[in-house]
Amino acid sequence: MSSRIEADYLLETPGDVRRVADFMAGEQSSGTFLPVPGETPELKARAAAQVTRLEILDDDLRAPSLPSARLAAPSDGKYRRALLTLSWPLSTLGPSLPNLLATIAGNLFELKPVTGLRLLDVRLPHEFADAYPGPRSGVEGTRRLAGVHGRPLIGTIIKPSVGLGPQETADVVDELCRAGIDFIKDDELQADGPACPFDRRVEAVMRVIDRHADRTGRKTMYAFNLTGDLDQMRRRHDTLLKHGATCMMASLNSVGLVGMIELARFGQLPIHAHRNGWGYLTRHPALGWSYIAWQKIWRLAGADHMHVNGIGNKFAEEDESCIASARECLTPMFADKPCTVMPVFSSAQTAQQAPATYQGLGSTNLIVTAGGGIMAHPLGAAAGVAALQEAWQAALEGVPLAEFARTRPNLQRALEMTA
Amino acid sequence: MSSRIEADYLLETPGDVRRVADFMAGEQSSGTFLPVPGETPELKARAAAQVTRLEILDDDLRAPSLPSARLAAPSDGKYRRALLTLSWPLSTLGPSLPNLLATIAGNLFELKPVTGLRLLDVRLPHEFADAYPGPRSGVEGTRRLAGVHGRPLIGTIIKPSVGLGPQETADVVDELCRAGIDFIKDDELQADGPACPFDRRVEAVMRVIDRHADRTGRKTMYAFNLTGDLDQMRRRHDTLLKHGATCMMASLNSVGLVGMIELARFGQLPIHAHRNGWGYLTRHPALGWSYIAWQKIWRLAGADHMHVNGIGNKFAEEDESCIASARECLTPMFADKPCTVMPVFSSAQTAQQAPATYQGLGSTNLIVTAGGGIMAHPLGAAAGVAALQEAWQAALEGVPLAEFARTRPNLQRALEMTA
């Protein structure tokens, strides 16, 4: 098997970058901190990771990004940053996503000479495409189930995030369906606690959604958060099928990779993948994961919708980074198996962000979820939905929001609320 | 249900720490970035997270630890650090580990006013002890299966880490068993790739281990790395039982929480839990997870052995931090369900570290694994095992290593090798 896996890193280290790169390649394959007798030239040729690219970006940093015990200060006082690509033979691990993680994102973040390390991207041989399902529904399946074409799915999150009971949740859904919303999701904090049991919530909500669908011919897609242990997720999935639900939500960092792979294998519905916890994986610019690398793992595992934050969000992320993440979700992973997924824009989204979001993404293939942006509209949630729909209509038609709002009071009030 | 969950954080922010703490509590329970109509006082009393402790540690930091887009520089130029405790009603989520993660370690790491956030500890109500199995084998079960009492399990990692075939691996095991080793583990990079298939490795290795056990009456414990998709792990577990293996290894960050919970439920053997990838969760001191909080999740989920790095390791971690991690593994979680696990010391471990490790931990309940420290011994692996055993004997007897080594050439050479 001659296929190889490649991963790109931002590396920061004092001293000789080449030596550290070779050390990393050794640690992540056949080597260790002392030469061992069995690591013959033949074995190295067969099993060793290789440094296939090393490009110095900066060789004059005066302080390390991350502390390292027992690392002597460099004699020249300088820390260097480089783009590094490591390459592994597939034959060591086979096309296994869990073992891929241990290989490309294992111990190497902890190595003593490393004062910064961030996984930027990963390229996988086609054997991975053969071994994993990828998104079952993706963009097209989601659109078909939601009955929305040629424009984004306009959605919201149930607010208050937690505290409503099943019937109170259904009452909010009733108001939103009446307003013509496309998509609703549970908050990630709401799953199956005693205060709002999953089964009773599904039953109450789907009764409302079905009633509106009888009228409109279109089922509002509700992403029920079934995050839990495996047997719980199986049982909750059965409940969703029984009640005709069209989407399920899971928190990626809560269920982990094996949980997501299983969910994608037994699940019959699009998986709305929530990335809460993403901050601890990415928040320092010289540590952890870039979204570009991270989302590939989950798309291959079977996620259908991936959260990407949103423009003008309430979080720490730059707008450019959100847009790059979203564009990546729509970029094919393999020529014959694109694994493209719906990017989900959220976090303080309101009518305001529609034009810049559309301009940045260059596609209508997205889900936009506004929580407070809809629920806190001064004229009520229905007006909030209408305002968001109008804002996206303006964006698609290339008309400035303020102009479009002149004859549309819901949009007008929404813009005033968030001015 | 009046039980509550508590989590402690290190928080860094400019401006008013109290306001940010309240914002965090709101975001992680019933609130959002705008007031929504449904968040009534009754609902808040029932569902809102509470700030139960806020203690300023430093109010004069001149630069933020983490960048935050759109966060204005503070008017007084100061960033503040505080110890913060948040508390949640259990009734919102129920005793669910996956949903606990979304609650205590979800979106809050990304919030705009947060320039540093680290989860320091978590305290769980007893309902969690009732809902999860905890370690099946733990310290006692591991000792019983390995036949080692009153001293640490002396172990090693197969080196070269990858590249050996099944029979070559068994040949190394043969040499180690002959030397009287207690414990051997696969490298985390070695699982079930085409170059060293799991089933053939288990068969070849267990044949050797059984042969030595016939002679010694004691089975060397081998932790086979079964990390993979769930069906693969089930199949590999069956292979282990069939061949009489006594331990299985899984990479925590590869399988994730649902994977570990499942493994603990169907698995009949101690779980050797490898923490590779831990660096990206913890490496920045103002971001991510402390080991104290993190290991509680995995112990409750069912891990039996937890990696804690080691004194004088090849990584970036301070010795004090390693020892604190290891001591925590032996600290009961619940009075009637301690969930204590074997701490595993590894990373550049040699004879040198035995006295300081024993002194720091204050217990013989540990597994010490030396890879290069054994395999690279100039007199061979058998001498490496003997040297490590002698070093621990010296530590337990309180005799300085150099003195103990005078009449023990294997230890003498080991100390020279790593001097």
Side-chain angles (χ1 to χ4, degrees):
Chain A
M1 198 181 296
S2 66
S3 304
R4 295 186 74 88
I5 296 156
E6 284 192 334
D8 302 331
Y9 302 89
L10 173 71
L11 166 66
E12 181 189 299
T13 183
D16 184 342
V17 175
R18 179 78 218 185
R19 205 172 44 79
V20 174
D22 287 339
F23 173 59
M24 289 173 61
E27 281 291 323
Q28 287 309 103
S29 60
S30 55
T32 185
F33 74 113
L34 288 169
V36 290
E39 203 190 8
T40 59
E42 296 74 27
L43 184 141
K44 281 182 84 158
R46 190 168 72 230
Q50 293 164 9
V51 176
T52 59
R53 178 190 181 202
L54 187 61
E55 186 185 324
I56 304 283
L57 298 177
D58 189 339
D59 60 2
D60 197 19
L61 289 166
R62 295 298 163 152
S65 293
L66 304 171
S68 182
R70 291 176 301 280
L71 179 66
S75 55
D76 63 358
K78 292 178 182 180
Y79 296 82
R80 290 156 176 91
R81 281 200 182 176
L83 278 179
L84 164 67
T85 299
L86 296 180
S87 143
W88 290 265
L90 180 62
S91 61
T92 304
L93 59 151
S96 160
L97 284 179
N99 291 299
L100 177 74
L101 289 192
T103 300
I104 64 170
N107 277 343
L108 70 184
F109 293 88
E110 293 188 67
L111 296 174
K112 182 163 60 176
V114 169
T115 61
L117 190 71
R118 189 170 173 89
L119 179 52
L120 300 178
D121 203 353
V122 58
R123 286 171 296 283
L124 301 174
H126 200 276
E127 286 85 344
F128 277 89
D130 299 334
Y132 287 94
R136 175 191 292 258
S137 300
V139 174
E140 286 317 308
T142 297
R143 286 198 175 284
R144 199 167 49 243
L145 282 167
V148 176
H149 301 276
R151 61 171 179 82
L153 272 68
I154 304 285
T156 191
I157 305 141
I158 295 291
K159 300 283 173 185
S161 318
V162 292
L164 300 176
Q167 191 52 52
E168 293 167 299
T169 305
D171 292 344
V172 176
V173 170
D174 190 28
E175 187 179 356
L176 292 161
C177 286
R178 205 176 303 126
I181 202 152
D182 303 322
F183 179 91
I184 309 174
K185 65 178 277 294
D186 280 331
D187 193 273
E188 77 274 12
L189 301 169
Q190 184 69 272
D192 191 20
C196 189
F198 186 85
D199 287 4
R200 287 179 46 211
R201 186 165 76 253
V202 172
E203 197 186 333
V205 165
M206 288 313 297
R207 195 183 303 128
V208 167
I209 285 178
D210 283 341
R211 204 178 62 231
H212 285 281
D214 287 343
R215 175 177 59 80
T216 63
R218 192 166 73 84
K219 236 183 206 184
T220 295
M221 180 175 272
Y222 191 111
F224 290 97
N225 180 19
L226 51 56
T227 300
D229 303 351
L230 189 59
D231 56 336
Q232 295 169 338
M233 291 200 291
R234 283 186 190 277
R235 209 165 52 233
R236 290 172 197 154
H237 173 258
D238 290 343
T239 299
L240 293 180
L241 291 189
K242 179 178 150 199
H243 290 281
T246 57
C247 191
M248 55 188 175
M249 165 173 151
S251 290
L252 296 174
N253 294 311
S254 295
V255 302
L257 194 45
V258 162
M260 178 53 57
I261 291 167
E262 277 304 296
L263 185 58
R265 286 205 171 132
F266 73 72
Q268 307 292 312
L269 302 173
I271 299 173
H272 186 83
H274 200 289
R275 73 177 194 180
N276 66 82
W278 169 239
Y280 62 70
L281 296 173
T282 201
R283 184 78 196 275
H284 192 285
L287 179 63
W289 288 76
S290 83
Y291 193 77
I292 306 301
W294 193 71
Q295 51 93 41
K296 286 186 178 174
I297 309 288
W298 298 108
R299 284 164 62 184
L300 204 47
D304 295 287
H305 309 162
M306 286 287 294
H307 276 236
V308 297
N309 209 343
I311 283 188
N313 59 72
K314 64 186 169 190
F315 294 145
E317 190 177 5
E318 300 276 0
D319 291 346
E320 295 70 29
S321 170
C322 302
I323 290 294
S325 297
R327 293 179 72 103
E328 188 71 19
C329 290
L330 296 172
T331 303
M333 279 185 69
F334 303 96
D336 60 345
K337 186 164 182 170
C339 296
T340 46
V341 297
M342 276 284 199
V344 181
F345 287 75
S346 65
S347 176
Q349 297 301 288
T350 68
Q352 299 281 7
Q353 291 101 323
T357 302
Y358 182 53
Q359 194 169 23
L361 187 61
S363 170
T364 59
N365 287 332
L366 71 150
I367 300 172
V368 54
T369 63
I374 282 177
M375 308 299 275
H377 193 289
L379 302 177
V385 173
L388 208 58
Q389 288 168 335
E390 288 161 358
W392 273 92
Q393 197 188 337
L396 297 188
E397 293 177 14
V399 181
L401 285 186
E403 187 183 322
F404 210 71
R406 268 181 219 137
T407 55
R408 292 169 179 89
N410 290 327
L411 179 56
Q412 186 62 45
R413 293 295 293 271
L415 297 179
E416 287 164 10
M417 171 180 80
T418 53
Chain B
M1 200 182 294
S2 66
S3 304
R4 295 185 75 87
I5 296 156
E6 285 192 334
D8 302 331
Y9 303 89
L10 173 70
L11 165 66
E12 181 189 298
T13 183
D16 185 341
V17 175
R18 179 78 219 185
R19 206 172 43 80
V20 174
D22 287 340
F23 174 58
M24 289 173 61
E27 281 291 323
Q28 286 308 102
S29 60
S30 55
T32 185
F33 74 114
L34 289 170
V36 290
E39 203 190 7
T40 59
E42 294 74 28
L43 185 142
K44 282 182 83 157
R46 193 169 69 231
Q50 293 164 9
V51 177
T52 60
R53 179 190 181 201
L54 188 60
E55 187 185 324
I56 304 283
L57 297 177
D58 189 339
D59 59 3
D60 197 19
L61 289 165
R62 295 298 163 154
S65 294
L66 304 171
S68 182
R70 292 176 301 279
L71 178 66
S75 54
D76 62 358
K78 293 179 181 176
Y79 296 82
R80 290 156 177 90
R81 282 199 180 175
L83 279 179
L84 165 67
T85 299
L86 296 181
S87 142
W88 289 265
L90 180 62
S91 61
T92 304
L93 58 151
S96 161
L97 284 178
N99 291 299
L100 176 74
L101 288 192
T103 301
I104 65 169
N107 278 342
L108 71 184
F109 292 89
E110 294 188 67
L111 296 174
K112 182 163 58 176
V114 169
T115 60
L117 190 70
R118 188 171 174 88
L119 179 52
L120 300 178
D121 202 353
V122 58
R123 285 172 296 284
L124 301 175
H126 200 277
E127 285 85 345
F128 277 89
D130 299 333
Y132 287 93
R136 175 191 293 257
S137 300
V139 175
E140 286 317 307
T142 297
R143 286 198 175 285
R144 198 168 48 244
L145 282 167
V148 176
H149 300 277
R151 61 172 179 81
L153 272 69
I154 304 286
T156 190
I157 305 141
I158 294 292
K159 298 284 173 188
S161 319
V162 292
L164 299 177
Q167 191 52 51
E168 293 167 301
T169 305
D171 292 344
V172 176
V173 170
D174 191 28
E175 186 179 356
L176 292 161
C177 286
R178 205 175 305 128
I181 202 153
D182 303 321
F183 179 90
I184 308 174
K185 65 179 277 293
D186 281 332
D187 193 272
E188 76 275 11
L189 300 169
Q190 183 71 273
D192 191 20
C196 190
F198 186 85
D199 288 4
R200 286 180 45 211
R201 187 165 76 252
V202 173
E203 198 186 333
V205 165
M206 288 312 298
R207 194 183 305 127
V208 168
I209 286 178
D210 283 341
R211 203 178 61 229
H212 285 280
D214 287 344
R215 174 176 59 80
T216 63
R218 192 165 73 84
K219 236 183 207 184
T220 295
M221 179 175 273
Y222 191 112
F224 290 98
N225 181 19
L226 51 57
T227 300
D229 303 351
L230 188 59
D231 55 336
Q232 295 169 337
M233 292 201 290
R234 283 184 190 278
R235 209 166 50 236
R236 290 171 197 155
H237 172 259
D238 290 344
T239 299
L240 293 180
L241 291 189
K242 181 178 148 200
H243 291 281
T246 57
C247 191
M248 54 188 175
M249 165 171 149
S251 291
L252 296 173
N253 293 310
S254 295
V255 302
L257 193 44
V258 162
M260 178 52 59
I261 292 167
E262 277 304 297
L263 186 57
R265 286 205 172 133
F266 72 72
Q268 306 293 312
L269 302 173
I271 300 173
H272 187 82
H274 200 289
R275 73 177 194 181
N276 66 83
W278 171 239
Y280 62 69
L281 297 173
T282 201
R283 184 80 196 275
H284 192 285
L287 179 63
W289 288 76
S290 83
Y291 193 77
I292 306 299
W294 194 72
Q295 52 91 41
K296 286 186 178 174
I297 309 288
W298 299 108
R299 284 165 61 184
L300 204 47
D304 294 288
H305 309 162
M306 287 287 293
H307 276 237
V308 296
N309 208 341
I311 283 187
N313 58 73
K314 65 187 167 189
F315 294 144
E317 190 176 5
E318 300 275 1
D319 291 345
E320 296 69 28
S321 170
C322 303
I323 290 294
S325 297
R327 293 179 72 104
E328 189 70 19
C329 290
L330 295 172
T331 303
M333 279 184 69
F334 303 96
D336 60 345
K337 186 166 182 170
C339 297
T340 46
V341 297
M342 274 285 198
V344 181
F345 286 75
S346 64
S347 175
Q349 296 301 289
T350 68
Q352 300 281 6
Q353 291 101 324
T357 302
Y358 182 53
Q359 194 168 24
L361 187 61
S363 169
T364 58
N365 288 332
L366 72 149
I367 300 172
V368 53
T369 64
I374 282 178
M375 308 299 275
H377 192 288
L379 302 177
V385 173
L388 208 59
Q389 289 169 335
E390 289 161 357
W392 272 92
Q393 197 187 338
L396 298 188
E397 294 178 12
V399 180
L401 285 185
E403 187 184 322
F404 210 71
R406 268 182 219 138
T407 53
R408 292 171 178 88
N410 291 327
L411 179 56
Q412 186 62 46
R413 292 296 293 272
L415 297 179
E416 286 163 11
M417 171 180 81
T418 53

